[in-house]
Amino acid sequence: MADDMSPEQRRKNMQHIRSTDTSIEVKLRTALWHEGIRYRKNFKELPGKPDIAITKYKIAVFCDSSFWHGRYFDSKKPVDTNHEYWDKKLRRNMERDEEVNKALRSMGWIVLRFWDEDIHKHLDDCLKTVKETIFDLKMSEQEIDYGETGESR
């Protein structure tokens, strides 16, 4: 199936795709804020500029689009006149995601990635994952505190 837009229409369409404050980011951020979880958005001081950075617990959250980050790369490749370009671009996006994950983990950050479909359809599950990660970190901090003093609280 060929592209049903002219090159000018496609160019204009692509120029309007946002990289920050997307609907999925805003939806997840709003839910986190209502739960009392504070964060930094598009935190430039970290590799990959996480969409949401919960600095208190060193949690980096990415809200990934299924298309741009290759969720269905093998089954739903773009079909148009420039398929080699898209194949290369989407593969590089997936490689970059892995590089960012490794860099953040080496800095002691926990990386959480949510797909757009999951945020739209299962927001509660995404929120639960973030909250459980925070809870686990709090519990491990308490274990360290007990271990250092040898006293219980």
Side-chain angles (χ1 to χ4, degrees):
M1 183 174 141
D3 195 358
D4 60 350
M5 292 186 184
S6 72
E8 278 186 24
Q9 289 172 318
R10 175 61 60 203
R11 183 173 183 272
K12 188 174 182 179
N13 186 29
M14 297 302 283
Q15 286 177 329
H16 286 86
I17 294 174
R18 302 171 72 156
S19 62
T20 60
D21 293 332
T22 62
S23 62
I24 55 177
E25 288 177 40
V26 172
K27 191 172 189 176
L28 184 58
R29 287 195 324 239
T30 301
L32 290 170
W33 190 265
H34 287 299
E35 289 292 325
I37 300 170
R38 301 302 179 240
Y39 52 82
R40 302 282 306 268
K41 63 181 198 170
N42 307 108
F43 197 45
K44 295 175 183 150
E45 295 169 27
L46 291 175
K49 204 168 76 172
D51 299 318
I52 300 167
I54 306 170
T55 55
K56 182 176 181 178
Y57 301 105
K58 293 180 85 172
I59 300 172
V61 180
F62 292 90
C63 304
D64 292 340
S65 160
S66 295
F67 175 77
W68 292 109
H69 294 269
R71 182 174 192 181
Y72 303 113
F73 183 74
D74 293 326
S75 61
K76 291 186 179 180
K77 291 184 181 181
V79 180
D80 67 359
T81 56
N82 205 1
H83 65 276
E84 291 172 9
Y85 165 81
W86 286 107
D87 186 68
K88 183 178 177 183
K89 176 160 185 58
L90 296 179
R91 283 185 193 280
R92 180 62 190 127
N93 287 352
M94 291 185 289
E95 289 171 9
R96 188 178 311 112
D97 289 344
E98 280 304 312
E99 292 167 5
V100 167
N101 290 350
K102 287 178 186 174
L104 286 167
R105 287 184 184 124
S106 72
M107 296 169 65
W109 283 73
I110 293 173
V111 179
L112 301 176
R113 287 188 177 270
F114 298 110
W115 292 110
D116 52 358
E117 294 173 14
D118 296 332
I119 294 170
H120 283 303
K121 295 178 182 176
H122 308 289
L123 180 62
D124 290 340
D125 292 340
C126 299
L127 192 57
K128 182 180 175 186
T129 300
V130 174
K131 289 168 65 174
E132 285 175 352
T133 303
I134 291 171
F135 179 79
D136 291 345
L137 288 169
K138 284 182 179 180
M139 295 311 293
S140 65
E141 284 177 7
Q142 285 181 352
E143 289 173 12
I144 292 169
D145 289 345
Y146 293 147
E148 290 175 359
T149 61
E151 301 173 8
S152 61
R153 295 182 181 189

